[in-house]
Amino acid sequence: DTGVSQNPRHKITKRGQNVTFRCDPISEHNRLYWYRQTLGQGPEFLTYFQNEAQLEKSRLLSDRFSAERPKGSFSTLEIQRTEQGDSAMYLCASSYRDNSPLHFGNGTRLTVT
Amino acid sequence: EDKVVQSPLSLVVHEGDTVTLNCSYEVTNFRSLLWYKQEKKAPTFLFMLTSSGIEKKSGRLSSILDKKELFSILNITATQTGDSAVYLCAVSHDGGSQGNLIFGKGTKLSVKP
């Protein structure tokens, strides 16, 4: 399967703990995006990489969130000191070039208890 | 404020019916409008529209964009139970990064046998 891969699929954590998610994009795609989706809502943009450079971050991305894409391949999204409001589906997507469609992974569902 | 509004928010039909889903938008420097289908997990890409009046078609699904009136419709003919899903409309614009899509809340379609 050469689609976008995300791990883990589910994560349950206690409030205050740190969590890290991983995304492996489609191999020839140099653009990678993170979105967050809550129940009954469309995905909300968090951040965007072109190769290893993080080019844009949403105002939604508080300082407890950090994302990296070393060497322009896979990406990680870390949430420090999790809060219950962080509970959501975190979606990763990649695209081949400017204004081409985004292809999404199956997401990581985070539950903060 | 940039926004994408979908209607209806939910819809129940019977197999064989034809449905029309609506998406209106207000964004600065519009680039393209995309439709996705989401069945519990990853949104899967359906159509990308950039020009007014040109219908895109894939099997029983079709979509068209009106850039003057700022809306798009997604038609599904001869619906099947496998069409049951949330249909998401998203708009990209020059105000953000190429991947900064603004999503609507989606239309939840349920097709009854």
Side-chain angles (χ1 to χ4, degrees):
Chain A
D1 185 348
T2 57
V4 177
S5 175
Q6 291 189 246
N7 288 289
R9 298 291 290 274
H10 303 276
K11 179 71 177 177
I12 300 174
T13 191
K14 293 187 177 180
R15 190 177 55 189
Q17 298 294 305
N18 299 342
V19 294
T20 300
F21 312 139
R22 176 178 169 126
C23 172
D24 288 89
I26 294 171
S27 59
E28 61 267 27
H29 288 185
N30 61 17
R31 289 165 165 80
L32 185 147
Y33 317 87
W34 287 97
Y35 282 77
R36 179 171 67 188
Q37 187 176 26
T38 54
L39 198 62
Q41 303 294 318
E44 294 175 300
F45 171 79
L46 293 178
T47 190
Y48 154 64
F49 290 85
Q50 184 169 326
N51 299 312
E52 66 274 11
Q54 188 173 20
L55 296 186
E56 187 174 350
K57 293 195 292 187
S58 164
R59 291 187 303 272
L60 294 174
L61 212 64
S62 78
D63 57 7
R64 296 184 297 105
F65 288 69
S66 62
E68 295 182 342
R69 192 182 182 197
K71 302 179 183 178
S73 55
F74 71 92
S75 176
T76 58
L77 178 68
E78 180 183 16
I79 309 174
Q80 296 182 324
R81 305 181 303 282
T82 51
E83 303 173 355
Q84 287 188 319
D86 297 331
S87 296
M89 175 76 84
Y90 289 84
L91 293 165
C92 176
S94 67
S95 69
Y96 178 61
R97 61 177 185 270
D98 180 22
N99 210 28
S100 61
L102 273 62
H103 296 269
F104 285 86
N106 282 331
T108 293
R109 182 169 295 284
L110 173 66
T111 302
V112 182
T113 62
Chain B
E1 182 184 344
D2 296 329
K3 61 181 180 180
V4 175
V5 179
Q6 293 186 246
S7 65
L9 291 181
S10 66
L11 189 57
V12 180
V13 300
H14 287 93
E15 273 192 315
D17 288 350
T18 293
V19 297
T20 298
L21 310 183
N22 303 293
C23 176
S24 64
Y25 62 91
E26 291 179 29
V27 298
T28 310
N29 300 321
F30 171 89
R31 286 166 62 96
S32 60
L33 185 145
L34 299 91
W35 285 97
Y36 285 86
K37 177 182 182 182
Q38 188 171 27
E39 298 171 272
K40 297 192 182 294
K41 296 179 182 175
T44 53
F45 171 71
L46 295 175
F47 298 112
M48 180 171 167
L49 304 156
T50 55
S51 300
S52 271
I54 299 175
E55 184 182 54
K56 294 228 174 171
K57 196 170 172 66
S58 175
R60 296 176 295 103
L61 277 67
S62 63
S63 183
I64 197 162
L65 173 67
D66 185 328
K67 290 168 73 174
K68 182 179 177 184
E69 299 297 329
L70 308 183
F71 78 91
S72 174
I73 59 172
L74 175 69
N75 280 321
I76 309 174
T77 59
T79 52
Q80 302 172 356
T81 55
D83 295 326
S84 296
V86 174
Y87 290 84
L88 294 165
C89 173
V91 172
S92 72
H93 61 117
D94 278 340
S97 71
Q98 295 88 345
N100 186 348
L101 297 178
I102 303 170
F103 280 86
K105 292 186 176 183
T107 294
K108 182 177 181 180
L109 175 64
S110 298
V111 182
K112 305 293 186 186

